[in-house]
Amino acid sequence: MAEVKLLGTWPSPFSYRVIWALKLKGIPYEYFEEDLSSKSPLLLQCNPVHKKIPVLIHGGKSICESTVILEYLEETWPQNPLMPDDPYERAIARFWVEFVEEKGVAVWIKLFSSGEEKEKAVKDSLEMLKTIEEQALGKKKFFCGDKISSVDIAYGWMARWLEVIEELAGVKLFEPQKFPRLDAWMKDFKDEPIIKGNLPGHDEMLVYFKHKL
Amino acid sequence: MAEQPKLLGTLPSPFVHRVIWALKLKAIPYEFIEQDLTNKSPLLLKYNPVHKKVPVFLHGDKPVCESMIIVEYIDEVWPQNPLLPKDPYERAQARFWVKFAEDKGTAVYRMFSSKGEELEKTKKETLEMLQTAEEHGIGEKKFFGGESIGIADIAFGPVVYGLEIIEEAIGEGAVFEAHRFPRLHAWIKNFKQVPVIKENLAERDWMVTLFKNRREALAGSA
């Protein structure tokens, strides 16, 4: 089996998505920490379009965009499946991945703005959380059932990064009593051994992001 | 499957067209249920409670939403005339460009509803998107999918066709110039000549008039 390399940065949640998937499937890989203020020739060569991490390199070929990488890993290494078997269930899984990409990820930056823009970002974030609470999880332990899937991996940033974002932006979005299903999901997600052993520390992240802001 | 699948949509919608093309390329019979987006039907609200948008694909009683997710679902359930390659790496490349069309293609639609400084900004974004697709996306290939159209062509089709219509409707100079984007110009020409696409493309003059009127209405209500 050709070798696998991952170009990432700590503590990018997009990087972590790929790390979680690789470890859950037991795929050996070599990790390269990128300095985004001084991008390596390898990164620029492998992701000329976006020049971003994560980049997966498999047998010399590069795959970019975390959600695209997740699908690639699933198809190339089918053991410990992270997507449902049934095409309809897969369509639903993809729907919820796209939802968090569009509504969650895009809103982060705007939480660090001010005035009307920030207010709107808070409102949009709360609506997003409400939709996930009411429509996405249902009675299931994880987004696709009893086992962790690519959808949980896509939402993983909420289990650790959300609280850091809230603290730094000075907003309070998530309250356990308002979002009990999400609260239960966050706890179950963080309890999964692979996730537990591969989460960036809260305090370290605060220091890192404060410095960036 | 006893019942025909249904497609909830509106005819000018570029996103709805993606699903129509996928269905027609695979010769899948379906029922089209025209929606009035100014007065959303109970059917639409029931089957797309999250976004309340078209297209919605109904297979039996099960709804699938979001145009490119629907296209992928159709490709998996009806494997004839595949829209995605078999090889996982090639599939990853196709998905990459689908995502690019989805993320960056919105600049075109935002051009439509902007003017003045905002219009200049969205024009610039559109040009950047075209430049990247020209250099890295289409390359030397006839289609994004190679010799025949694939999922990335379906994703880009409405973005570029939409741009041609929108820039004519705005009437403030061309963005998608042939000398700047020769590969993409060749591509869209070939794309529009594929029989299924040709027969299922919203008529250009009709669309330009429609968009001109909508743009005037937007300006009037601003």
Side-chain angles (χ1 to χ4, degrees):
Chain A
M1 178 62 74
E3 53 173 15
V4 176
K5 296 187 166 95
L6 172 63
L7 310 185
T9 60
W10 184 91
S12 157
F14 305 103
S15 232
Y16 269 89
R17 283 173 173 176
V18 183
I19 290 170
W20 292 331
L22 286 164
K23 291 199 186 258
L24 283 162
K25 285 179 172 287
I27 302 164
Y29 67 99
E30 201 184 344
Y31 179 78
F32 294 84
E33 177 75 24
E34 281 287 329
D35 174 3
L36 295 180
S37 62
S38 173
K39 293 177 182 179
S40 72
L42 185 63
L43 176 59
L44 298 174
Q45 184 198 342
C46 292
N47 193 354
V49 171
H50 299 301
K51 305 176 179 58
K52 286 182 179 176
I53 56 90
V55 177
L56 188 87
I57 307 172
H58 181 208
K61 294 179 178 175
S62 51
I63 298 110
C64 309
E65 295 294 300
S66 61
T67 53
V68 174
I69 296 171
L70 291 180
E71 296 258 18
Y72 176 78
L73 291 176
E74 184 65 9
E75 289 174 358
T76 312
W77 288 273
Q79 73 270 19
N80 299 349
L82 296 173
M83 284 286 267
D85 264 329
D86 172 67
Y88 181 70
E89 299 299 318
R90 272 208 292 281
I92 301 300
R94 287 181 179 127
F95 176 89
W96 289 110
V97 169
E98 193 165 314
F99 181 81
V100 78
E101 288 290 89
E102 195 194 335
K103 306 281 184 188
V105 169
V107 167
W108 283 352
I109 303 288
K110 300 199 179 128
L111 286 169
F112 292 96
S113 57
S114 53
E116 245 177 67
E117 207 185 338
K118 183 169 180 167
E119 267 176 50
K120 183 167 188 297
V122 170
K123 186 168 170 280
D124 289 345
S125 299
L126 285 168
E127 264 173 41
M128 173 201 58
L129 290 173
K130 187 166 180 276
T131 302
I132 299 166
E133 175 76 17
E134 291 172 4
Q135 312 218 28
L137 276 164
K139 294 196 180 7
K140 307 186 295 275
K141 182 179 182 188
F142 294 114
F143 280 89
C144 291
D146 287 327
K147 287 183 348 195
I148 252 190
S149 70
S150 290
V151 187
D152 304 278
I153 288 175
Y155 281 80
W157 65 274
M158 292 176 72
R160 174 53 55 88
W161 284 255
L162 180 57
E163 65 206 32
V164 173
I165 291 169
E166 285 177 317
E167 229 174 292
L168 290 168
V171 297
K172 190 72 195 135
L173 297 169
F174 176 77
E175 282 161 282
Q177 68 273 24
K178 271 196 186 162
F179 305 102
R181 284 177 185 163
L182 256 178
D183 187 47
W185 172 80
M186 284 181 190
K187 292 190 167 90
D188 286 331
F189 184 75
K190 284 188 284 194
D191 268 343
E192 277 293 299
I194 297 276
I195 307 299
K196 199 169 190 170
N198 292 281
L199 271 176
H202 173 98
D203 297 340
E204 289 94 325
M205 279 217 283
L206 263 182
V207 170
Y208 175 86
F209 283 116
K210 260 192 187 131
H211 182 72
K212 287 262 163 185
L213 294 169
Chain B
M1 182 58 62
E3 221 186 295
Q4 264 189 9
K6 297 178 174 57
L7 174 60
L8 310 186
T10 58
L11 277 176
S13 162
F15 308 102
V16 170
H17 272 87
R18 287 168 167 169
V19 180
I20 292 174
W21 294 334
L23 289 165
K24 299 257 182 196
L25 282 162
K26 289 170 178 284
I28 301 162
Y30 66 99
E31 189 192 339
F32 185 78
I33 308 177
E34 179 83 30
Q35 298 297 300
D36 176 1
L37 296 180
T38 61
N39 185 15
K40 292 178 182 181
S41 70
L43 205 63
L44 179 61
L45 299 174
K46 176 183 177 190
Y47 287 120
N48 193 355
V50 173
H51 298 299
K52 306 176 180 55
K53 286 182 180 175
V54 294
V56 177
F57 184 69
L58 275 173
H59 193 199
D61 201 28
K62 295 177 176 177
V64 184
C65 307
E66 296 295 292
S67 61
M68 293 318 297
I69 293 176
I70 298 171
V71 171
E72 223 177 316
Y73 173 76
I74 289 170
D75 200 47
E76 283 185 24
V77 175
W78 290 274
Q80 69 271 23
N81 297 348
L83 300 170
L84 268 163
K86 279 201 163 40
D87 172 66
Y89 175 72
E90 299 299 323
R91 289 163 76 89
Q93 296 312 298
R95 288 197 172 107
F96 177 90
W97 288 108
V98 166
K99 189 172 201 301
F100 183 85
E102 291 282 76
D103 290 346
K104 306 290 180 186
T106 59
V108 171
Y109 313 122
R110 279 181 287 122
M111 248 180 75
F112 167 71
S113 54
S114 56
K115 49 186 191 231
E117 222 180 276
E118 183 65 28
L119 178 58
E120 287 313 302
K121 187 166 166 275
T122 49
K123 264 188 186 175
K124 188 164 170 281
E125 272 182 59
T126 300
L127 281 166
E128 276 168 25
M129 183 259 311
L130 290 171
Q131 194 57 43
T132 304
E134 174 82 11
E135 269 181 50
H136 299 281
I138 189 70
E140 303 292 329
K141 305 190 296 283
K142 184 177 184 189
F143 296 112
F144 284 86
E147 280 306 302
S148 55
I149 67 173
I151 201 169
D153 301 278
I154 290 178
F156 265 102
V159 173
V160 177
Y161 186 58
L163 175 57
E164 289 181 326
I165 289 165
I166 284 167
E167 64 184 15
E168 197 178 322
I170 294 174
E172 282 179 32
V175 171
F176 183 45
E177 293 172 294
H179 68 270
R180 279 184 83 166
F181 306 105
R183 289 172 179 172
L184 281 175
H185 263 265
W187 167 76
I188 191 75
K189 195 164 162 223
N190 287 326
F191 182 75
K192 286 190 277 187
Q193 275 168 7
V194 171
V196 162
I197 307 298
K198 195 174 183 173
E199 290 157 25
N200 294 281
L201 208 55
E203 208 269 307
R204 189 183 164 128
D205 289 340
W206 175 71
M207 287 288 274
V208 172
T209 309
L210 185 72
F211 275 61
K212 264 189 179 144
N213 292 339
R214 276 198 193 161
R215 205 172 139 83
E216 270 160 40
L218 272 171
S221 63

